[in-house]
Amino acid sequence: MSTLKALIVLYRAFGGGRTSTRLHVLIRFLTCPFLRILKELPERSVDLLEIGAGHGIFSILAAAGGRRPIAVEPDLRKLFPASRDGGVRFVASYADAISGSFGTVAMIDVLYKVPKQDWPGLLRSIGDRTAPGGLFLLKEQDPTDILKNRWNELQESLNSRFLKITLGDAFTYERPEAMVRLLTAAGFSSVRVERIDRWYPHPHVLYVARRAKAE
């Protein structure tokens, strides 16, 4: 999907929303490499579960590409202000409200707001939701990039003190090698690490974790 097409898709989805919502969606799209994450979606797998979907940008773009996403988001402020694309099922809750398994599970800039002691259990539950042979796409920030991470810390500090855009009080990132160990312990048979932050001010890193196929 091209950037122009993505902007058109988002305009159709959010054009009738409040100005503040449209502005937030635009800034979020321009500062997060959603299109680079979309490229990792398997061609033959159409079912997608997005955990902590926010306004649903990723799910809406995925639906425009032929997927059938379920977007789970507990923050009602983000679910209701915008108009909705018919290809996405939005659920106002946490991930445990959804049962079954999915060919792809995605979680974009969510884990860092979860207390670190809860990460192993959360990742194991996501592993259980990922179908055999399926993918888990985890997008976080790489704390080893000192310069970009300082900018990210400043932005998150402003958010937590004044804007309150994101739920959660935690602010924790893990080094890529440690994250790979966590994902492996959660039941994923292989994990690929991709830095996807070229031309972006934040140290975006994507973990492409695959469940082993059923024997």
Side-chain angles (χ1 to χ4, degrees):
M1 180 181 295
S2 67
T3 299
L4 178 59
K5 181 178 179 180
L7 288 170
I8 292 172
V9 169
L10 294 177
Y11 177 78
R12 289 173 178 170
F14 295 96
R18 296 180 302 189
T19 300
S20 59
T21 298
R22 298 199 308 269
L23 181 61
H24 177 78
V25 167
L26 177 61
I27 293 174
R28 176 73 174 136
F29 173 76
L30 293 176
T31 58
C32 179
F34 288 106
L35 299 184
R36 297 178 185 178
I37 305 172
L38 278 175
K39 292 180 180 179
E40 297 289 345
L41 290 176
E43 292 184 3
R44 296 183 179 180
S45 177
V46 296
D47 58 319
L48 167 66
L49 172 65
E50 185 181 6
I51 299 172
H55 287 94
I57 296 173
F58 182 73
S59 286
I60 289 171
L61 294 175
R67 270 68 181 190
R68 297 194 299 266
I70 297 177
V72 180
E73 171 56 49
D75 190 345
L76 301 185
R77 299 172 302 169
K78 294 181 179 179
L79 281 181
F80 293 113
S83 60
R84 287 305 173 208
D85 184 283
V88 182
R89 175 188 170 192
F90 288 90
V91 178
S93 187
Y94 292 90
D96 55 7
I98 303 297
S99 61
S101 61
F102 297 82
T104 306
V105 180
M107 192 162 68
I108 301 173
D109 294 326
V110 173
L111 190 63
Y112 79 104
K113 298 298 289 184
V114 177
K116 193 172 181 179
Q117 64 268 22
D118 296 334
W119 287 11
L122 175 60
L123 294 174
R124 282 195 300 270
S125 70
I126 292 173
D128 293 338
R129 302 284 176 82
T130 307
L135 290 182
F136 173 40
L137 303 177
L138 174 65
K139 211 290 284 178
E140 284 290 305
Q141 311 279 353
D142 184 354
T144 64
D145 190 319
I146 297 176
L147 182 60
K148 286 189 175 183
N149 202 54
R150 285 179 178 174
W151 165 250
N152 183 55
E153 289 176 348
L154 174 61
Q155 179 178 320
E156 287 295 331
S157 177
L158 292 174
N159 170 42
S160 62
R161 291 183 181 181
F162 304 109
L163 301 178
K164 301 293 184 180
I165 295 175
T166 307
L167 292 179
D169 297 321
F171 182 81
T172 306
Y173 293 107
E174 189 58 274
R175 299 172 68 90
E177 58 269 23
M179 187 61 72
V180 169
R181 289 194 294 269
L182 283 169
L183 290 167
T184 302
F188 294 97
S189 59
S190 66
V191 182
R192 175 165 53 88
V193 183
E194 294 283 347
R195 282 290 294 266
I196 55 173
D197 59 335
R198 188 177 183 185
W199 310 118
Y200 285 91
H202 303 88
H204 302 294
V205 60
L206 179 65
Y207 301 92
V208 183
R210 184 176 294 278
R211 279 285 308 275
K213 294 183 180 181
E215 297 183 357

